[in-house]
Amino acid sequence: MDVQWPLLIFGLLAGLGMGCLGFVSISALVGKYESLRVTGLVIALIALCLGGVASALHMGNPGRILFILGNLRSGIAQE
């Protein structure tokens, strides 16, 4: 089985984005690192958007993407 690079990149970027978002959330609760909050939010937003693009590239065909969006009970949509 070949390495699915788009899914690997998606996992990396999703983890980066959620980690940054978690750091920003905890720093807001604690009240420290105020200067890093906006930067962390921008990095999280960019990483999650790029991760979504990488996930869409895994489908390889726009028809498949539209099928999944229209059929949320399919196995891949539940994945």
Side-chain angles (χ1 to χ4, degrees), residues 62-72 74 76:
R64 292 181 191 161
I65 297 169
L66 293 174
F67 173 76
I68 290 171
L69 291 175
N71 186 8
L72 295 177
S74 68
I76 191 73

Side-chain angles (χ1 to χ4, degrees), residues 14 26 30 45 47 69 71-72 78-79:
I26 291 172
V30 175
L45 181 65
L69 291 175
N71 186 8
L72 295 177
Q78 294 176 4
E79 183 180 297

Side-chain angles (χ1 to χ4, degrees), residues 22-71:
F23 173 77
V24 168
S25 300
I26 291 172
S27 72
L29 289 174
V30 175
K32 294 185 178 182
Y33 307 115
E34 294 172 6
S35 63
L36 294 177
R37 289 183 193 162
V38 174
T39 306
L41 286 174
V42 169
I43 291 172
L45 181 65
I46 291 171
L48 290 174
C49 288
L50 289 176
V53 169
S55 177
L57 288 176
H58 172 66
M59 297 300 161
N61 185 351
R64 292 181 191 161
I65 297 169
L66 293 174
F67 173 76
I68 290 171
L69 291 175
N71 186 8

